[in-house]
Amino acid sequence: MSSLDLVHDVLDMQLVDRAGEKMGRVDGITLELRDGEPPRVAELLVGGTVLADRLGGWMVALAQLFAHVTGAKPVVTRVPFAVVQEISSTITLDAQGGATSALRTERWLDRIICRIPGSSDKSGKEQK
Amino acid sequence: MKKFGEIALGVVTSIGGFLEVGSIATSAQAGSEFGFQLGWAVLVGSVALMFLMEMSGRLSAVTTRTFADQLRERFGIRGFLLPLVAVLAVSFLVLSSEIGGVAIALQMATGVGFRVWALPIAFLGWLVLWRGTFGTVEKGAAMLGLVSIVFAIAAAALHPRWSSIAAGLVPSAPAHDRARYWYLALSILGASISPYLYFFYSSGAVEDKWTTEHLSVNRVTASLGNIFGGGLALMGVVVAALVFLPRGIRVERYEQLGMLLTPALHHPGFVFFLATLGITCFGTTLEITLSLAYVLAQGLGWTWSENLRPSRDSRFSTTYTITIFLAAIPILLGADVLKLTNVSMVLTAASLPLSVLPLIVLMNDREVMERHVNGIAGNVALVAIAIMSVVLFVVAVPLQIMGGG
């Protein structure tokens, strides 16, 4: 039986979608508790408030203050563990990143960035 | 040309370490107050940075991933947060000082006050990052930074006694102003070894797609770059010792530095000094801005690369855009650039343990480094640097209070 060390091999690892797009890091893990059976890994969590919870005390207060001041609703992305395709130096998901809330901020900023001249036309830069 | 391209990363990183607002100012202060006696601090800084660059480059070449990426993965968010906050805060202050350095150079060249230049410099820097690639930043800054060779030419023209310079490379106790002496030693070390440098170098290795085939390039780059950068910073001490010390000039404002090279090179000396200050500080501005965005993006798992169009990695490009304009604000408001520089160099020195200590763990982990783990020599050097960094951390604040004036 091969084993997986959740803290060593999964927590804080880079998440990428099936196209290779970076989707953040594994900020938290949830277990599903089942009657009469051992618990099993349910979801991988991505989100600033999950990180704040891990750091505890004053970071939670700071995150709440930030949400209060900016009016932003904290986003926590829950990825079912079943979607995990491969675990190596990164964790690859059999999913499309853009379809999850993990890339909500990235996509929201895309719209602003695209309005600035030179953000997406050909210079020496690569498309992808 | 291909060869130059390969070592450009090392040259540009070491210029960032040794020839920018921090090193130019602290070298000049050291030379004007203590002659060649503080040469050893430049030497220690170069050797330490050489080891740190080689190791962070090796880490990235072997794993094809960056130092910040590995810090978060290996030490979790708890272990990553403190280095992250320290590197971001300290580098931000240094970034403001660099923008100030370019602004002062422009003020001396045009007579128009330095505050006016803050936003145009930030805009120009942003434009280079927005439109250029990593190669633009790396090769452009390395090529233009070669102008700083003028420090060596000026030093040679003054016919120093080379044996006295060599004597300064051995640490010795000062005959006067002890607190000031150790304060300047600390500032020189802070100005040479900045954490953003090895985060930048390690990200650069990934941008340039280094693999284990680049391990020898990495060694050559880290050594040549630091011999070049450290050597020129030492020449800065030498010139200041021969020009300012006999005339009893103590460096209290940047404007005084304008005449650093004129006794040796006359009017062209003034022009070349301004070019060196302006160009190297501008190059370092780009380097630190990128570094801050790299560390944040890598630690939080965002898409990042200076080679992607800004719309392909929006969080990364937004980060560097906000950073460079925010850092211009203190200069726009008329901050005292020399004081800002000195304070940020001391804080840099104090922040070193947070990024050096984790490196010991990573460089000795076979799971990460495979057969490329540190050898005995590497570990002895790294532990010595770590001990030094802890000492710097402890003495930084007391020395700022006693010797900062």
Side-chain angles (χ1 to χ4, degrees):
Chain A
M1 196 185 89
S2 65
S3 73
L4 184 67
D5 180 339
L6 284 180
V7 172
H8 187 270
D9 300 329
V10 180
L11 195 60
D12 291 305
M13 296 283 283
Q14 175 78 52
L15 280 175
V16 298
D17 75 355
R18 73 166 81 86
E21 178 159 16
K22 293 189 174 79
M23 292 173 58
R25 284 176 178 269
V26 182
D27 295 324
I29 301 170
T30 60
L31 297 181
E32 181 193 357
L33 302 173
R34 302 175 299 170
D35 283 338
E37 284 177 89
R40 74 173 166 211
V41 180
E43 299 159 325
L44 305 182
L45 308 180
V46 184
T49 48
V50 183
L51 279 184
D53 283 341
R54 274 171 71 194
L55 292 162
W58 60 277
M59 277 305 281
V60 177
L62 204 66
Q64 278 166 352
L65 183 73
F66 179 78
H68 184 74
V69 170
T70 59
K73 229 180 117 207
V75 183
V76 175
T77 307
R78 298 173 171 274
V79 182
F81 195 64
V83 175
V84 170
Q85 195 172 47
E86 196 200 338
I87 297 178
S88 56
S89 62
T90 56
I91 295 183
T92 312
L93 302 178
D94 185 16
Q96 198 211 334
T100 71
S101 55
L103 292 175
R104 195 179 287 176
T105 318
E106 182 93 21
R107 294 290 181 263
W108 182 76
L109 284 172
D110 282 351
R111 293 207 298 272
I112 301 172
I113 293 284
C114 281
R115 289 197 198 135
I116 305 175
S119 61
S120 34
D121 57 319
K122 289 195 172 82
S123 49
K125 304 216 185 198
E126 301 162 37
Q127 178 76 40
K128 175 78 202 164
Chain B
M1 200 54 216
K2 184 168 174 291
K3 282 268 183 296
F4 182 77
E6 289 203 316
I7 65 159
L9 179 59
V11 175
V12 71
T13 312
S14 67
I15 287 178
F18 292 102
L19 292 146
E20 36 70 63
V21 71
S23 288
I24 292 176
T26 53
S27 290
Q29 287 171 327
S32 70
E33 293 173 43
F34 295 97
F36 305 150
Q37 207 185 348
L38 276 160
W40 64 268
V42 177
L43 181 69
V44 171
S46 331
V47 174
L49 187 58
M50 188 185 295
F51 276 103
L52 293 172
M53 272 170 62
E54 192 279 328
M55 286 178 203
S56 51
R58 176 150 45 97
L59 178 70
S60 296
V62 171
T63 62
T64 64
R65 292 165 56 207
T66 66
F67 182 33
D69 184 355
Q70 314 248 11
L71 266 185
R72 166 77 196 267
E73 182 183 319
R74 180 63 197 252
F75 299 96
I77 188 66
R78 278 178 175 277
F80 179 67
L81 191 70
L82 212 54
L84 173 75
V85 172
V87 170
L88 293 186
V90 167
S91 307
F92 184 82
L93 288 179
V94 183
L95 177 58
S96 270
S97 314
E98 303 298 342
I99 294 176
V102 186
I104 294 276
L106 287 168
Q107 172 184 311
M108 289 198 271
T110 63
V112 179
F114 72 94
R115 293 169 59 175
V116 175
W117 298 105
L119 287 178
I121 295 163
F123 179 76
L124 188 65
W126 170 80
L127 197 64
V128 174
L129 296 179
W130 195 256
R131 300 293 292 173
T133 59
F134 189 76
T136 319
V137 174
E138 179 186 38
K139 299 196 180 75
M143 288 272 259
L144 291 172
L146 295 178
V147 69
S148 49
I149 289 171
V150 70
F151 275 82
I153 299 170
L158 293 169
H159 304 292
R161 279 183 48 206
W162 297 101
S163 59
S164 318
I165 297 173
L169 296 179
V170 180
S172 55
H176 61 98
D177 301 303
R178 285 170 55 204
R180 180 70 180 169
Y181 178 86
W182 293 109
Y183 171 77
L184 285 176
L186 173 78
S187 303
I188 290 175
L189 289 170
S192 348
I193 322 166
S194 288
Y196 81 80
L197 288 167
Y198 36 91
F199 284 107
F200 175 83
Y201 187 71
S202 132
S203 303
V206 173
E207 293 270 32
D208 286 345
K209 299 188 168 61
W210 279 12
T211 62
T212 43
E213 284 177 24
H214 290 83
L215 286 175
S216 53
V217 172
N218 176 46
R219 265 194 301 275
V220 172
T221 318
S223 355
L224 279 186
N226 283 291
I227 291 169
F228 174 77
L232 289 178
L234 183 63
M235 293 305 116
V237 177
V238 169
V239 174
L242 296 173
V243 173
F244 287 158
L245 185 62
R247 293 174 176 79
I249 298 173
R250 192 179 152 128
V251 182
E252 265 140 15
R253 288 177 308 119
Y254 265 105
E255 289 81 347
Q256 293 170 286
L257 295 180
M259 62 162 293
L260 186 60
L261 303 183
T262 43
L265 305 171
H266 313 289
H267 186 67
F270 178 69
V271 175
F272 276 106
F273 175 79
L274 293 188
T276 303
L277 182 67
I279 289 171
T280 56
C281 291
F282 186 70
T284 311
T285 298
L286 301 178
E287 209 176 313
I288 303 178
T289 308
L290 272 183
S291 265
L292 289 168
Y294 280 145
V295 174
L296 199 65
Q298 292 159 6
L300 297 178
W302 307 341
T303 302
W304 60 272
S305 172
E306 173 57 7
N307 294 326
L308 288 172
R309 297 174 192 175
S311 63
R312 300 295 308 176
D313 49 9
S314 301
R315 283 186 281 194
F316 175 73
S317 46
T318 304
T319 305
Y320 68 62
T321 302
I322 294 175
T323 303
I324 198 165
F325 285 103
L326 272 186
I329 291 176
I331 306 307
L332 181 68
L333 298 178
D336 181 329
V337 183
L338 190 61
K339 281 214 177 77
L340 183 67
T341 306
N342 277 133
V343 169
S344 43
M345 294 313 139
V346 169
L347 290 177
T348 300
S351 76
L352 284 175
L354 289 169
S355 46
V356 171
L357 295 172
L359 195 59
I360 301 183
V361 177
L362 287 171
M363 295 313 291
N364 285 291
D365 188 337
R366 280 193 184 273
E367 216 177 299
V368 176
M369 295 301 296
E370 295 160 17
R371 63 191 181 82
H372 303 287
V373 286
N374 263 3
I376 292 173
N379 274 332
V380 169
L382 192 51
V383 170
I385 294 168
I387 293 172
M388 180 179 85
S389 75
V390 173
V391 172
L392 294 180
F393 171 77
V394 174
V395 300
V397 174
L399 277 179
Q400 171 70 46
I401 295 165
M402 293 189 298

